[in-house]
Amino acid sequence: MAILMLILMNVAVMASIYLSIFLIELIFHVRIDSGSIAGLAILAVIVGFSGSFISLLLSKWMAKKTMGVRVIENPSSEAEVWLVNTVAKLAQKANIPMPEVGVFDGPPNAFATGPSKSNALVAVSTSLFDMMDIREIEGVIAHEINHIKHGDMITMTLVQGVLNAIVFFVSRLIANIIAPKDEEGEPNPFAYMAISFALEMVLSIFATMLAMWFSRYREYKADSGAVEIDGPEGIYYALAKLGNIPKEQIALPAEMKAFGIVGFLGELFSSHPPIEKRLENIKETARKLGYNI
Protein backbone atom coordinates (compact mmCIF):
# COMPACT_ATOMS: atom_id res chain seq x y z
CA MET A 1 0.00 0.00 0.00
CA ALA A 2 2.80 2.42 0.91
CA ILE A 3 4.59 1.73 -2.40
CA LEU A 4 1.37 2.27 -4.34
CA MET A 5 0.80 5.58 -2.55
CA LEU A 6 4.37 6.67 -3.36
CA ILE A 7 3.93 5.78 -7.03
CA LEU A 8 0.62 7.65 -7.21
CA MET A 9 2.21 10.68 -5.54
CA ASN A 10 5.06 10.71 -8.05
CA VAL A 11 2.66 10.36 -10.96
CA ALA A 12 0.56 13.22 -9.61
CA VAL A 13 3.64 15.44 -9.23
CA MET A 14 4.90 14.74 -12.76
CA ALA A 15 1.41 15.22 -14.21
CA SER A 16 1.07 18.58 -12.47
CA ILE A 17 4.46 19.71 -13.79
CA TYR A 18 3.65 18.87 -17.39
CA LEU A 19 0.14 20.30 -17.07
CA SER A 20 1.50 23.55 -15.62
CA ILE A 21 4.04 23.87 -18.44
CA PHE A 22 1.37 23.13 -21.05
CA LEU A 23 -1.03 25.73 -19.60
CA ILE A 24 1.66 28.42 -19.39
CA GLU A 25 2.63 27.84 -23.01
CA LEU A 26 -1.00 27.73 -24.11
CA ILE A 27 -2.29 30.76 -22.19
CA PHE A 28 0.70 33.07 -22.42
CA HIS A 29 1.97 31.83 -25.81
CA VAL A 30 5.43 31.39 -24.30
CA ARG A 31 7.67 28.41 -24.87
CA ILE A 32 9.62 27.49 -21.77
CA ASP A 33 13.21 27.04 -22.91
CA SER A 34 15.25 25.52 -20.12
CA GLY A 35 18.39 26.55 -22.01
CA SER A 36 17.77 30.21 -21.16
CA ILE A 37 18.03 31.77 -17.70
CA ALA A 38 14.40 32.92 -17.76
CA GLY A 39 13.16 29.55 -18.99
CA LEU A 40 15.19 27.69 -16.40
CA ALA A 41 13.87 29.97 -13.65
CA ILE A 42 10.25 29.37 -14.71
CA LEU A 43 10.83 25.63 -14.89
CA ALA A 44 12.51 25.66 -11.46
CA VAL A 45 9.51 27.40 -9.89
CA ILE A 46 7.08 24.92 -11.48
CA VAL A 47 9.11 21.89 -10.44
CA GLY A 48 9.93 23.32 -6.99
CA PHE A 49 6.39 24.16 -5.98
CA SER A 50 4.41 21.42 -7.72
CA GLY A 51 5.47 18.62 -5.40
CA SER A 52 5.17 20.80 -2.30
CA PHE A 53 1.63 21.92 -3.03
CA ILE A 54 0.46 18.47 -4.05
CA SER A 55 1.85 17.15 -0.77
CA LEU A 56 0.02 19.93 1.09
CA LEU A 57 -3.28 19.19 -0.62
CA LEU A 58 -2.95 15.48 0.13
CA SER A 59 -1.44 15.93 3.60
CA LYS A 60 -4.54 15.13 5.63
CA TRP A 61 -5.44 12.13 3.50
CA MET A 62 -1.86 10.86 3.60
CA ALA A 63 -1.68 11.28 7.38
CA LYS A 64 -4.86 9.29 7.89
CA LYS A 65 -3.60 6.46 5.66
CA THR A 66 0.00 6.45 6.89
CA MET A 67 -0.77 6.70 10.61
CA GLY A 68 -4.02 4.72 10.56
CA VAL A 69 -5.94 7.66 12.03
CA ARG A 70 -9.54 7.03 13.02
CA VAL A 71 -11.51 10.26 12.79
CA ILE A 72 -13.90 10.71 15.73
CA GLU A 73 -17.29 11.52 14.23
CA ASN A 74 -19.41 10.06 17.02
CA PRO A 75 -17.43 9.75 20.28
CA SER A 76 -17.75 6.24 21.69
CA SER A 77 -16.08 6.73 25.07
CA GLU A 78 -15.56 9.33 27.78
CA ALA A 79 -11.99 9.84 26.59
CA GLU A 80 -13.15 10.59 23.04
CA VAL A 81 -15.85 12.97 24.29
CA TRP A 82 -13.24 14.79 26.36
CA LEU A 83 -10.82 14.90 23.42
CA VAL A 84 -13.35 16.39 21.00
CA ASN A 85 -14.55 18.93 23.57
CA THR A 86 -10.99 19.93 24.44
CA VAL A 87 -10.03 20.46 20.80
CA ALA A 88 -13.20 22.54 20.32
CA LYS A 89 -12.40 24.66 23.40
CA LEU A 90 -8.81 25.32 22.36
CA ALA A 91 -9.77 25.98 18.74
CA GLN A 92 -12.21 28.61 19.96
CA LYS A 93 -9.52 30.21 22.14
CA ALA A 94 -7.15 30.26 19.16
CA ASN A 95 -9.93 31.69 16.96
CA ILE A 96 -9.73 28.99 14.30
CA PRO A 97 -12.41 26.69 12.82
CA MET A 98 -12.93 23.36 14.52
CA PRO A 99 -10.49 20.83 13.00
CA GLU A 100 -11.18 17.15 12.53
CA VAL A 101 -10.18 15.10 15.56
CA GLY A 102 -8.69 11.64 15.36
CA VAL A 103 -6.83 8.98 17.29
CA PHE A 104 -4.21 6.48 16.17
CA ASP A 105 -2.44 3.50 17.69
CA GLY A 106 1.26 4.03 18.24
CA PRO A 107 3.90 5.55 20.51
CA PRO A 108 2.89 8.56 22.65
CA ASN A 109 2.72 11.51 20.26
CA ALA A 110 0.36 13.85 18.44
CA PHE A 111 0.34 15.89 15.25
CA ALA A 112 -1.62 18.45 13.26
CA THR A 113 -1.87 18.57 9.49
CA GLY A 114 -4.09 19.76 6.66
CA PRO A 115 -4.00 22.19 3.72
CA SER A 116 -5.61 25.15 5.55
CA LYS A 117 -6.94 26.39 8.87
CA SER A 118 -10.46 25.43 7.80
CA ASN A 119 -9.43 21.96 6.62
CA ALA A 120 -7.15 20.61 9.33
CA LEU A 121 -6.75 17.51 11.46
CA VAL A 122 -5.51 17.06 15.04
CA ALA A 123 -4.63 13.46 15.89
CA VAL A 124 -3.52 12.01 19.23
CA SER A 125 -2.07 8.56 19.88
CA THR A 126 -4.07 6.32 22.18
CA SER A 127 -0.94 5.61 24.23
CA LEU A 128 -0.76 9.28 25.19
CA PHE A 129 -3.79 8.69 27.41
CA ASP A 130 -1.92 5.90 29.19
CA MET A 131 1.11 7.97 30.18
CA MET A 132 -0.26 11.51 30.72
CA ASP A 133 -3.01 13.10 32.74
CA ILE A 134 -5.65 15.17 30.97
CA ARG A 135 -3.95 18.47 31.86
CA GLU A 136 -0.79 17.38 30.06
CA ILE A 137 -2.69 16.03 27.06
CA GLU A 138 -4.51 19.35 26.85
CA GLY A 139 -1.14 21.10 26.69
CA VAL A 140 -0.09 18.82 23.81
CA ILE A 141 -3.32 19.59 21.96
CA ALA A 142 -2.80 23.33 22.54
CA HIS A 143 0.59 23.00 20.87
CA GLU A 144 -0.92 21.30 17.83
CA ILE A 145 -3.77 23.84 17.64
CA ASN A 146 -1.15 26.57 17.41
CA HIS A 147 0.44 24.88 14.41
CA ILE A 148 -2.91 25.29 12.70
CA LYS A 149 -3.40 28.85 13.99
CA HIS A 150 -0.03 29.95 12.64
CA GLY A 151 -0.61 28.28 9.28
CA ASP A 152 2.54 26.23 9.73
CA MET A 153 1.59 23.60 7.15
CA ILE A 154 1.18 26.27 4.44
CA THR A 155 4.32 28.13 5.52
CA MET A 156 6.41 24.96 5.45
CA THR A 157 5.06 24.23 1.99
CA LEU A 158 6.16 27.66 0.76
CA VAL A 159 9.58 27.31 2.38
CA GLN A 160 10.07 23.85 0.87
CA GLY A 161 8.88 25.07 -2.53
CA VAL A 162 11.33 27.98 -2.55
CA LEU A 163 14.21 25.73 -1.48
CA ASN A 164 13.29 23.11 -4.11
CA ALA A 165 13.22 25.78 -6.81
CA ILE A 166 16.58 27.22 -5.77
CA VAL A 167 18.22 23.77 -5.71
CA PHE A 168 16.79 22.92 -9.14
CA PHE A 169 17.82 26.27 -10.66
CA VAL A 170 21.34 26.51 -9.21
CA SER A 171 22.28 22.88 -9.90
CA ARG A 172 21.30 23.14 -13.58
CA LEU A 173 22.80 26.58 -14.03
CA ILE A 174 26.18 25.41 -12.74
CA ALA A 175 25.94 22.16 -14.72
CA ASN A 176 25.30 24.15 -17.89
CA ILE A 177 28.44 26.19 -17.23
CA ILE A 178 30.89 23.41 -16.38
CA ALA A 179 29.61 20.54 -18.55
CA PRO A 180 31.75 19.79 -21.67
CA LYS A 181 30.42 21.53 -24.79
CA ASP A 182 30.12 20.30 -28.36
CA GLU A 183 31.13 22.25 -31.48
CA GLU A 184 27.90 24.27 -31.36
CA GLY A 185 28.41 25.22 -27.72
CA GLU A 186 25.73 22.89 -26.40
CA PRO A 187 26.54 20.96 -23.20
CA ASN A 188 26.94 17.20 -23.40
CA PRO A 189 23.52 15.92 -22.21
CA PHE A 190 24.91 12.99 -20.22
CA ALA A 191 27.53 15.13 -18.45
CA TYR A 192 24.93 17.85 -17.87
CA MET A 193 22.49 15.47 -16.23
CA ALA A 194 25.19 13.75 -14.14
CA ILE A 195 26.60 17.06 -12.86
CA SER A 196 23.18 18.58 -12.17
CA PHE A 197 22.09 15.43 -10.32
CA ALA A 198 25.23 15.41 -8.17
CA LEU A 199 24.88 19.11 -7.38
CA GLU A 200 21.21 18.65 -6.57
CA MET A 201 22.07 15.97 -4.03
CA VAL A 202 24.66 18.20 -2.33
CA LEU A 203 22.53 21.35 -2.38
CA SER A 204 19.54 19.39 -1.07
CA ILE A 205 21.50 18.69 2.10
CA PHE A 206 21.89 22.41 2.78
CA ALA A 207 18.27 23.05 1.78
CA THR A 208 17.15 20.41 4.28
CA MET A 209 19.21 22.07 7.01
CA LEU A 210 17.47 25.40 6.30
CA ALA A 211 14.02 23.80 6.25
CA MET A 212 14.68 22.04 9.55
CA TRP A 213 15.95 25.28 11.12
CA PHE A 214 12.66 26.91 10.22
CA SER A 215 10.77 23.91 11.57
CA ARG A 216 12.57 24.21 14.92
CA TYR A 217 11.73 27.93 15.06
CA ARG A 218 8.10 27.04 14.38
CA GLU A 219 8.10 24.52 17.25
CA TYR A 220 9.19 27.23 19.69
CA LYS A 221 6.33 29.41 18.43
CA ALA A 222 3.80 26.59 18.87
CA ASP A 223 5.03 25.96 22.42
CA SER A 224 4.71 29.65 23.26
CA GLY A 225 1.26 29.73 21.69
CA ALA A 226 0.21 26.77 23.84
CA VAL A 227 1.18 28.75 26.94
CA GLU A 228 -0.84 31.72 25.72
CA ILE A 229 -4.11 29.81 25.23
CA ASP A 230 -3.75 27.07 27.85
CA GLY A 231 -1.18 28.13 30.43
CA PRO A 232 2.31 26.65 30.85
CA GLU A 233 1.78 23.62 33.09
CA GLY A 234 0.22 21.24 30.57
CA ILE A 235 2.71 21.59 27.72
CA TYR A 236 5.67 21.92 30.13
CA TYR A 237 5.07 18.71 32.06
CA ALA A 238 3.99 16.84 28.92
CA LEU A 239 7.32 17.62 27.26
CA ALA A 240 9.19 16.78 30.46
CA LYS A 241 7.57 13.34 30.46
CA LEU A 242 8.34 12.79 26.78
CA GLY A 243 11.95 13.74 27.45
CA ASN A 244 12.31 10.74 29.74
CA ILE A 245 11.16 8.21 27.14
CA PRO A 246 13.68 6.49 24.85
CA LYS A 247 13.76 8.33 21.52
CA GLU A 248 12.96 5.34 19.35
CA GLN A 249 9.73 4.78 21.28
CA ILE A 250 8.17 8.16 20.49
CA ALA A 251 9.47 9.18 17.07
CA LEU A 252 6.86 9.52 14.34
CA PRO A 253 7.46 8.23 10.78
CA ALA A 254 9.77 10.52 8.80
CA GLU A 255 6.99 12.06 6.71
CA MET A 256 5.07 13.15 9.85
CA LYS A 257 7.89 14.33 12.15
CA ALA A 258 7.66 18.01 11.28
CA PHE A 259 4.07 18.15 12.54
CA GLY A 260 4.41 16.11 15.72
CA ILE A 261 4.89 17.19 19.32
CA VAL A 262 8.43 15.81 19.37
CA GLY A 263 10.94 14.44 16.86
CA PHE A 264 14.58 13.36 16.79
CA LEU A 265 17.62 13.47 14.49
CA GLY A 266 21.01 15.13 14.59
CA GLU A 267 20.28 18.71 15.70
CA LEU A 268 21.04 20.30 12.31
CA PHE A 269 18.65 17.92 10.59
CA SER A 270 16.07 17.71 13.38
CA SER A 271 12.57 19.08 12.87
CA HIS A 272 12.29 19.74 16.63
CA PRO A 273 14.61 21.51 19.09
CA PRO A 274 16.00 19.58 22.06
CA ILE A 275 13.35 19.21 24.75
CA GLU A 276 15.56 20.99 27.29
CA LYS A 277 15.61 24.13 25.12
CA ARG A 278 11.88 23.91 24.56
CA LEU A 279 11.27 23.74 28.31
CA GLU A 280 13.41 26.86 28.80
CA ASN A 281 11.43 28.63 26.07
CA ILE A 282 8.16 27.69 27.81
CA LYS A 283 9.46 29.02 31.13
CA GLU A 284 10.50 32.30 29.50
CA THR A 285 7.11 32.71 27.79
CA ALA A 286 5.31 31.88 31.05
CA ARG A 287 7.31 34.50 32.97
CA LYS A 288 6.45 37.15 30.36
CA LEU A 289 2.77 36.28 30.75
CA GLY A 290 2.91 36.39 34.55
CA TYR A 291 2.90 32.66 35.30
CA ASN A 292 5.05 30.95 37.92
CA ILE A 293 6.52 27.61 36.86
Side-chain angles (χ1 to χ4, degrees), residues 193-267:
M193 290 306 298
I195 294 171
S196 63
F197 178 77
L199 288 170
E200 194 167 329
M201 293 299 100
V202 174
L203 292 173
S204 291
I205 295 174
F206 293 101
T208 300
M209 290 169 59
L210 287 172
M212 292 301 97
W213 170 84
F214 183 79
S215 178
R216 292 192 296 273
Y217 165 78
R218 186 202 54 164
E219 290 300 318
Y220 286 129
K221 295 288 288 183
D223 287 340
S224 296
V227 176
E228 291 172 5
I229 68 170
D230 192 53
E233 289 86 0
I235 184 63
Y236 184 90
Y237 291 112
L239 283 175
K241 276 189 177 179
L242 289 173
N244 291 324
I245 301 175
K247 298 177 181 180
E248 63 275 7
Q249 292 185 23
I250 59 177
L252 290 169
E255 63 272 17
M256 297 306 303
K257 281 182 180 178
F259 303 108
I261 186 67
V262 65
F264 298 99
L265 275 176
E267 189 163 348

Side-chain angles (χ1 to χ4, degrees), residues 125-133 137:
S125 67
T126 53
S127 60
L128 209 62
F129 287 90
D130 297 328
M131 69 164 292
M132 293 185 182
D133 61 38
I137 298 173

Side-chain angles (χ1 to χ4, degrees), residues 88-289:
K89 177 184 71 174
L90 294 173
Q92 186 176 25
K93 285 186 177 181
N95 196 29
I96 63 170
M98 175 67 176
E100 281 190 302
V101 182
V103 293
F104 62 95
D105 295 325
N109 219 314
F111 66 87
T113 190
S116 68
K117 294 180 183 180
S118 59
N119 186 16
L121 166 72
V122 172
V124 176
S125 67
T126 53
S127 60
L128 209 62
F129 287 90
D130 297 328
M131 69 164 292
M132 293 185 182
D133 61 38
I134 59 173
R135 189 69 190 87
E136 293 161 348
I137 298 173
E138 185 170 327
V140 171
I141 296 169
H143 171 97
E144 301 304 337
I145 287 291
N146 271 275
H147 278 313
I148 300 171
K149 177 184 177 180
H150 298 150
D152 285 337
M153 287 74 77
I154 298 172
T155 307
M156 281 298 293
T157 296
L158 294 173
V159 169
Q160 194 62 60
V162 169
L163 292 173
N164 289 346
I166 291 173
V167 168
F168 185 93
F169 179 83
V170 172
S171 63
R172 279 152 183 79
L173 182 64
I174 295 175
N176 190 60
I177 294 171
I178 65 177
K181 308 293 192 296
D182 59 21
E183 295 178 354
E184 298 178 356
E186 294 295 323
N188 180 286
F190 297 105
Y192 172 83
M193 290 306 298
I195 294 171
S196 63
F197 178 77
L199 288 170
E200 194 167 329
M201 293 299 100
V202 174
L203 292 173
S204 291
I205 295 174
F206 293 101
T208 300
M209 290 169 59
L210 287 172
M212 292 301 97
W213 170 84
F214 183 79
S215 178
R216 292 192 296 273
Y217 165 78
R218 186 202 54 164
E219 290 300 318
Y220 286 129
K221 295 288 288 183
D223 287 340
S224 296
V227 176
E228 291 172 5
I229 68 170
D230 192 53
E233 289 86 0
I235 184 63
Y236 184 90
Y237 291 112
L239 283 175
K241 276 189 177 179
L242 289 173
N244 291 324
I245 301 175
K247 298 177 181 180
E248 63 275 7
Q249 292 185 23
I250 59 177
L252 290 169
E255 63 272 17
M256 297 306 303
K257 281 182 180 178
F259 303 108
I261 186 67
V262 65
F264 298 99
L265 275 176
E267 189 163 348
L268 283 177
F269 294 94
S270 176
S271 59
H272 291 62
I275 285 182
E276 294 79 7
K277 292 184 179 180
R278 292 176 66 182
L279 294 176
E280 286 302 316
N281 174 64
I282 291 169
K283 284 183 181 178
E284 182 179 349
T285 302
R287 284 193 291 266
K288 289 179 181 178
L289 294 174

